[in-house]
Amino acid sequence: MAMDAGSVACNQSWSISEDSLRRYVQFASESCVQELLMSASSENSSRGGDGWKILSRNNGVEISKRRSGSLHIFRSRRLLRSVSPQQFITVANAIDAAKQWDPDMVESRYIKDVEDNLSIIRLKFGQNSKPFFRRREFIVYERRETMEDGTLVVAVASLPKEIAAGLLPKQNNAIRGLLVQSGWVVEKLEDLNSCVVTYVVQLDPAGWLPKFFVNRLNTKLVIMIIENLRKLVQTTPPH
């Protein structure tokens, strides 16, 4: 990976070969998948020794958090009845989730496919978005995996800013936020028409935002995402 010598310190970008990009995204996304699986582990959650602090349990929804640097990672777990894993996984993706963050999304497009199950996506919000997302954009990878036991995993996280800038230079008025880690683990049950969904998120919108407000935003996201996507499943006609 070589830095473009013409870049200034405040707007660095890296030239990166296709092979280097592929290897980086493969490694980062595999690590994210493993983190999601550990976060969804019922055994670890019940022991409480993995750093997760349960904030609430209401109506079958468990909300918890774990410190990671100056921010927290937030997690929600929920049993969905009358929603099969195959149904939910159709809406468990970067674009449908980002539409739940803020409705004023002005662009959502695939930049490139790294592999059949691994893509790079641009998410961009407009001037009329809420303050947390106003003029923000996120350059993320999305990896989709089916484990041997049938568990479905979708991992979504931002590329490092230098690599993202090399792929897609930032516009002057845009603020490039970081989706540090996010994703879903969808577990099948004996009742094939139901599933258990775990959603994990750590989002840093960047800009001059106090950490307290950023953590509050993540709490809101982790509470609403599964419910909103459940509603989306029920209003989406079957293919």
Side-chain angles (χ1 to χ4, degrees):
M1 224 184 290
M3 190 175 73
D4 180 1
S7 298
V8 295
C10 63
N11 188 30
Q12 292 179 335
S13 63
W14 295 72
S15 59
I16 183 170
S17 69
E18 288 288 332
D19 185 59
S20 295
L21 175 65
R22 180 179 295 104
R23 283 189 281 111
Y24 171 80
V25 178
Q26 285 174 334
F27 175 79
S29 61
E30 176 59 30
S31 297
C32 190
V33 166
Q34 295 305 317
E35 285 286 335
L36 290 169
L37 287 169
M38 286 190 290
S39 296
S41 169
S42 299
E43 182 179 4
N44 287 342
S45 297
S46 63
R47 290 176 178 175
D50 55 356
W52 289 103
K53 178 183 178 181
I54 296 175
L55 303 177
S56 65
R57 283 195 181 108
N58 292 309
N59 300 319
V61 181
E62 178 187 287
I63 306 297
S64 52
K65 69 178 182 179
R66 185 179 70 189
R67 178 169 290 280
S68 177
S70 60
L71 297 174
H72 287 89
I73 304 174
F74 289 83
R75 177 186 70 185
S76 60
R77 291 167 57 82
R78 180 172 176 178
L79 167 63
L80 297 183
R81 299 194 182 278
S82 301
V83 177
S84 71
Q86 290 72 25
Q87 287 177 305
F88 190 83
I89 207 68
T90 62
V91 297
N93 60 73
I95 293 175
D96 279 328
K99 288 177 181 177
Q100 311 307 316
W101 298 351
D102 191 285
D104 188 41
M105 175 181 280
V106 296
E107 183 179 337
S108 57
R109 67 180 175 93
Y110 286 83
I111 298 173
K112 64 168 56 193
D113 291 326
V114 180
E115 295 178 339
D116 290 343
N117 66 334
L118 181 57
S119 302
I120 298 175
I121 301 167
R122 183 189 194 191
L123 308 169
K124 183 179 179 182
F125 297 88
Q127 178 64 36
N128 296 323
S129 290
K130 300 169 188 175
F132 284 116
F133 295 104
R134 187 172 299 143
R135 301 194 313 276
R136 261 62 173 194
E137 65 177 14
F138 300 83
I139 309 300
V140 303
Y141 63 74
E142 177 184 281
R143 179 169 184 155
R144 309 177 73 84
E145 291 283 357
T146 302
M147 314 312 293
E148 290 185 0
D149 64 355
T151 297
L152 305 172
V153 186
V154 182
V156 182
S158 288
L159 296 179
K161 287 190 176 183
E162 296 84 359
I163 294 178
L167 284 176
L168 195 67
K170 181 173 71 70
Q171 297 177 355
N172 291 335
N173 66 342
I175 301 171
R176 191 156 277 177
L178 285 176
L179 185 54
V180 183
Q181 176 185 342
S182 76
W184 298 263
V185 177
V186 184
E187 302 170 72
K188 65 180 183 179
L189 301 172
E190 290 186 8
D191 175 4
L192 299 180
N193 292 317
S194 300
C195 60
V196 173
V197 177
T198 301
Y199 177 62
V200 175
V201 67
Q202 184 182 25
L203 186 146
D204 184 357
W208 298 100
L209 294 172
K211 300 301 182 185
F212 168 79
F213 290 109
V214 175
N215 281 327
R216 192 163 67 177
L217 167 68
N218 279 278
T219 305
K220 181 179 178 181
L221 293 180
V222 83
I223 291 173
M224 76 174 186
I225 287 293
I226 294 179
E227 173 62 13
N228 285 10
L229 293 181
R230 180 191 67 81
K231 292 177 181 177
L232 184 60
V233 167
Q234 294 178 334
T235 57
T236 301
H239 295 290

